[in-house]
Amino acid sequence: MEKRNEKIPSPKEIEKEISEFLSKKFKDNVKLISPVVLPQELTLDKGKESPQNVKRIDFDLLPEDLIAYLDQYIVKQDMAKAVLATKICTHFNRIKRAEDSPDDFNEMVGSIKNNVLMVGPTGVGKTYIIKLIAKKIGVPFVKGDATKFSETGYVGGDVEDLIRDLVREADDDIELAQHGIIYIDEIDKIASSRNLIGADVSRTGVQRALLKPMEETDIDLKVPHDPISMIQEIERFRKTGKRNKRTVNTKNILFIMSGAFNDLTKIVKKRIMDQGIGFGANITSPKEDIDLLKHVKSEDLIEYGFESEFVGRLPVTAVFENLTEDDLFEILKNPNNPIILSKKLDFDAYGISIKFENKVLRILAKNAFSEKTGARGLVSAIERKMLLFEKKLPSKGIKKFPVTATVIENPEESLEALIASPDDKKINESFEKLSNNEKEFIKDYLKSNNKNLSEKHNLTMTPSRIDIIAEYYTRCIMDTGSVIKKIKSFYDEIKKIELYFFKTHDINIVLEENAIDYIIEQLVTSEIRIDVFYKQLTEDFELGLKLVREKTEKNRFFISRKALLDPESFISELIKDELR
């Protein structure tokens, strides 16, 4: 208790005590060196914001670019992808244009925002597509469930909480949050019940509460009666002596709503039949449901139970199609699908490499289709088939697991055989066959998407480079985009070698594309480090190239793959060429 009022030592005093201790214990062998703090070269005037802190949207995507990106991940849904990509690109390009030329846009009154309504059955990728778009654009994204919100003032979630969540998602960067995307699912559940008498706080009330945020309003970040908000406000006032009201303007926040709208087809059909356009037949298939939904109008949504003002703030409609069994199979085959990649990661957590046969993917697609839950059924289908193996194999020391149709159809027998002979020749051959099939499939995928992938990643997709990417994909658990980014990072590091070699040895070398591919291949397959390769490169070429430079006065040399494999012959040929 007596030490409570003892003065806390300053950093310099602590440093001095540590230095004295080290000096006594280790003599002059160990010393404490304080870091040097350099003064800022540029002092900004008070009251002026640092240029790097000024946030502005940097968006240059075109609709076709975004569609090409979505095609890598989303099967089918061509019309929905086209609508979403076009209107979202237009939304953000308009913001960018307005910020670039504020004088031309400030006079506009009543600007209409491209808020989107997505209509389609469950499990067709509505949430997934919006997450992909938000990730691609680089804006914060939050998802809410319409059934969990009520009108402000009633018990339940407040729709304004979504705006506050968006700020949290943007790491408290209000400017970035004001360019975010808010996605509200199950929106069809807040359509009003036409037989209800009295206030409907969970339905019509939520619609009314969403009206202003969907257009433009300022949302106070401080939540009334929230103790955390109050504490933060007190702390801010204590530090600054000011009571700043922090608000978020929703003018540029894009709202995207989605729902299954199960009974909407009946309303659309009735209207079309009344107008005598010729849709008189009874609806007998999901395909006809979708065909009808493509004709949905504002009046249909109003009859469904939405306020006319609410429908008016959703000018864009994107209709999603049902997924067939073949579609589900294509989803599983897609090298970027998270379902198979996630299952590979599950087994990789125990050091087990797993490969799937195409017949297995067909079986899983068939089982999932029978559940009538779209792509969601794929997850439960694969979990049911793989759970037994995921439970047993980690404790058996298994390292390779080829999943064939036989494994799925006879799980107990296949498990016993795998445990009894994990290094059986047939098992290893089966695994290698599936691995090679996967590699060939990735090659075909890369070739068919060559132009788009080359432009997207700024990397020329040479045939040898495609082979390397396919090899890396089979060795690691990543989607193709992440693999190409990794190969691109290798490429960039290798190009730096040219500059470093010149700075160190005053010799200008240019690594040809086939040489770069050879080096990348070594980094991928042999897992050598780039610094180890540079050391070998110096040993192989420094003295020889200096000798050639002295004899020829040339100082620029093109290094090919052949030169890397046989540096002595390469140097000899350079000298012989000069003598000739």
Side-chain angles (χ1 to χ4, degrees):
M1 295 297 290
E2 294 177 2
K3 294 183 179 180
R4 177 174 288 179
N5 297 324
E6 196 174 286
K7 182 184 175 183
I8 298 173
S10 68
K12 282 194 170 293
E13 290 171 337
I14 294 173
E15 183 183 320
K16 184 180 178 184
E17 288 183 18
I18 294 173
S19 295
E20 289 174 354
F21 169 77
L22 292 173
S23 180
K24 287 178 183 177
K25 188 168 182 65
F26 301 102
K27 304 294 182 185
D28 293 329
N29 295 323
V30 178
K31 290 185 178 181
L32 181 69
I33 301 174
S34 302
V36 179
V37 181
L38 296 175
Q40 285 185 316
E41 293 182 6
L42 179 64
T43 304
L44 296 171
D45 294 335
K46 287 185 179 180
K48 289 186 179 179
E49 193 175 11
S50 174
Q52 60 264 30
N53 292 329
V54 177
K55 292 281 184 180
R56 67 183 300 279
I57 187 165
D58 185 16
F59 184 84
D60 57 2
L61 265 182
L62 300 177
E64 288 187 341
D65 297 333
L66 189 51
I67 291 169
Y69 168 75
L70 294 174
D71 284 342
Q72 297 175 58
Y73 299 91
I74 303 291
V75 170
K76 214 173 184 177
Q77 314 304 355
D78 293 338
M79 183 57 70
K81 283 186 283 193
V83 171
L84 286 166
T86 301
K87 299 313 294 183
I88 289 174
C89 281
T90 300
H91 171 79
F92 284 103
N93 275 304
R94 277 183 61 174
I95 295 172
K96 181 182 179 183
R97 184 76 179 273
E99 291 181 349
D100 288 342
S101 309
D103 295 337
D104 297 337
F105 287 83
N106 284 342
E107 298 302 320
M108 186 181 291
V109 178
S111 176
I112 297 172
K113 194 163 35 167
N114 289 327
N115 295 323
V116 182
L117 175 65
M118 299 194 300
V119 178
T122 183
V124 294
K126 296 191 295 291
T127 303
Y128 185 45
I129 197 171
I130 300 303
K131 284 183 176 179
L132 285 170
I133 290 171
K135 181 182 177 183
K136 176 66 175 174
I137 296 172
V139 296
F141 162 84
V142 294
K143 179 189 174 186
D145 190 327
T147 60
K148 293 191 170 111
F149 291 97
S150 67
E151 188 178 5
T152 304
Y154 290 87
V155 176
D158 184 345
V159 293
E160 293 184 357
D161 289 340
L162 290 171
I163 311 293
R164 299 181 184 107
D165 288 342
L166 200 61
V167 175
R168 280 190 281 272
E169 195 67 26
D171 293 327
D172 211 36
D173 185 336
I174 292 177
E175 185 67 25
L176 184 60
Q178 289 179 155
H179 295 101
I181 295 175
I182 289 179
Y183 172 55
I184 303 177
D185 199 7
E186 306 277 9
I187 200 69
D188 52 322
K189 302 297 192 298
I190 65 167
S192 64
S193 174
R194 289 180 288 278
N195 299 321
L196 185 68
I197 300 173
D200 191 355
V201 298
S202 65
R203 296 187 177 189
T204 308
V206 179
Q207 292 180 44
R208 285 196 295 266
L210 280 164
L211 291 180
K212 284 188 176 180
M214 286 171 70
E215 194 170 54
E216 181 182 3
T217 191
D218 290 322
I219 304 295
D220 192 349
L221 289 180
K222 185 175 70 175
V223 185
H225 314 300
D226 176 22
I228 295 176
S229 257
M230 293 171 67
I231 292 169
Q232 288 175 341
E233 184 69 22
I234 292 168
E235 184 66 18
R236 198 176 294 111
F237 179 76
R238 187 183 68 79
K239 289 180 178 179
T240 64
K242 297 178 182 178
R243 297 184 65 180
N244 295 327
K245 187 176 181 180
R246 300 175 76 224
T247 61
V248 176
N249 185 276
T250 65
K251 177 183 178 181
N252 293 325
I253 294 176
L254 190 64
F255 282 80
I256 299 176
M257 317 284 182
S258 78
F261 292 89
N262 294 320
D263 297 325
L264 186 58
T265 50
K266 296 177 183 177
I267 295 172
V268 177
K269 182 188 177 186
K270 181 178 180 299
R271 173 178 59 77
I272 291 174
M273 286 178 66
D274 290 345
Q275 292 172 353
I277 293 180
F279 284 82
N282 291 325
I283 297 173
T284 57
S285 71
K287 177 74 169 64
E288 291 175 7
D289 282 358
I290 297 301
D291 288 341
L292 280 172
L293 286 176
K294 288 176 182 177
H295 297 277
V296 69
K297 291 185 175 181
S298 298
E299 59 191 271
D300 303 320
L301 295 169
I302 292 169
E303 187 176 343
Y304 191 84
F306 288 106
E307 300 276 314
S308 58
E309 294 90 343
F310 183 78
V311 174
R313 284 166 173 77
L314 290 166
V316 181
T317 304
V319 178
F320 282 71
E321 303 175 57
N322 284 289
L323 297 174
T324 65
E325 185 180 318
D326 287 339
D327 294 331
L328 297 179
F329 173 68
E330 289 301 321
I331 287 172
L332 291 176
K333 278 203 71 177
N334 189 314
N336 303 309
N337 91 84
I339 300 167
I340 295 297
L341 289 174
S342 179
K343 186 48 59 182
K344 285 182 176 181
L345 286 171
D346 288 346
F347 279 86
D348 185 68
Y350 302 106
I352 302 171
S353 295
I354 179 172
K355 300 293 179 185
F356 290 90
E357 188 179 38
N358 274 349
K359 289 181 182 178
V360 171
L361 303 184
R362 273 287 179 195
I363 294 169
L364 295 174
K366 184 178 181 179
N367 293 345
F369 183 72
S370 66
E371 294 185 15
K372 305 296 181 186
T373 56
R376 286 194 179 95
L378 291 171
V379 179
S380 54
I382 195 170
E383 288 298 337
R384 280 196 300 271
K385 294 295 183 182
M386 302 306 297
L387 185 61
L388 174 65
F389 299 96
E390 194 174 333
K391 180 179 74 171
K392 293 286 188 180
L393 294 184
S395 57
K396 306 301 180 183
I398 306 295
K399 295 301 177 186
K400 293 180 179 179
F401 179 25
V403 184
T404 61
T406 305
V407 169
I408 295 296
E409 291 162 353
N410 303 293
E412 297 286 351
E413 294 176 18
S414 299
L415 180 64
E416 286 180 15
L418 191 59
I419 292 172
S421 305
D423 296 322
D424 184 74
K425 184 180 178 182
K426 287 184 178 180
I427 292 174
N428 287 325
E429 286 177 353
S430 177
F431 185 88
E432 290 305 316
K433 181 182 177 182
L434 294 182
S435 185
N436 288 330
N437 289 344
E438 183 180 64
K439 193 185 300 181
E440 290 304 313
F441 175 75
I442 296 299
K443 285 182 186 179
D444 291 339
Y445 174 84
L446 295 171
K447 289 173 185 174
S448 61
N449 293 277
N450 192 322
K451 183 180 178 183
N452 177 48
L453 293 172
S454 296
E455 291 176 356
K456 178 184 174 184
H457 298 282
N458 193 26
L459 182 71
T460 305
M461 304 290 283
T462 61
S464 60
R465 209 160 284 165
I466 286 174
D467 290 345
I468 293 168
I469 293 168
E471 175 68 29
Y472 199 85
Y473 181 93
T474 58
R475 287 170 174 262
C476 305
I477 305 170
M478 300 178 180
D479 60 37
T480 54
S482 300
V483 173
I484 296 172
K485 281 181 183 176
K486 187 68 177 177
I487 299 303
K488 178 65 166 63
S489 71
F490 287 150
Y491 181 90
D492 292 340
E493 287 298 313
I494 292 165
K495 291 300 288 181
K496 289 177 184 175
I497 286 177
E498 297 174 345
L499 181 61
Y500 192 71
F501 200 91
F502 179 74
K503 285 183 175 180
T504 308
H505 308 297
D506 195 28
I507 298 173
N508 186 2
I509 63 169
V510 178
L511 293 165
E512 295 183 2
E513 289 296 297
N514 61 6
I516 293 175
D517 286 352
Y518 171 73
I519 301 167
I520 294 174
E521 188 180 349
Q522 298 306 302
L523 295 173
V524 169
T525 57
S526 304
E527 297 182 350
I528 64 167
R529 298 195 316 271
I530 195 77
D531 58 325
V532 174
F533 173 80
Y534 179 77
K535 184 179 178 182
Q536 186 63 48
L537 187 74
T538 301
E539 291 176 1
D540 290 342
F541 289 94
E542 181 194 1
L543 296 178
L545 291 180
K546 282 182 177 178
L547 178 63
V548 174
R549 184 180 62 185
E550 288 174 8
K551 291 183 176 294
T552 66
E553 297 184 356
K554 291 180 180 178
N555 196 31
R556 192 163 188 247
F557 305 98
F558 290 86
I559 310 295
S560 65
R561 182 180 188 274
K562 185 179 178 182
L564 291 175
L565 291 171
D566 193 355
E568 288 186 11
S569 296
F570 174 73
I571 300 294
S572 298
E573 283 298 317
L574 287 176
I575 295 172
K576 286 178 183 177
D577 288 344
E578 182 57 30
L579 291 174
R580 292 194 197 104

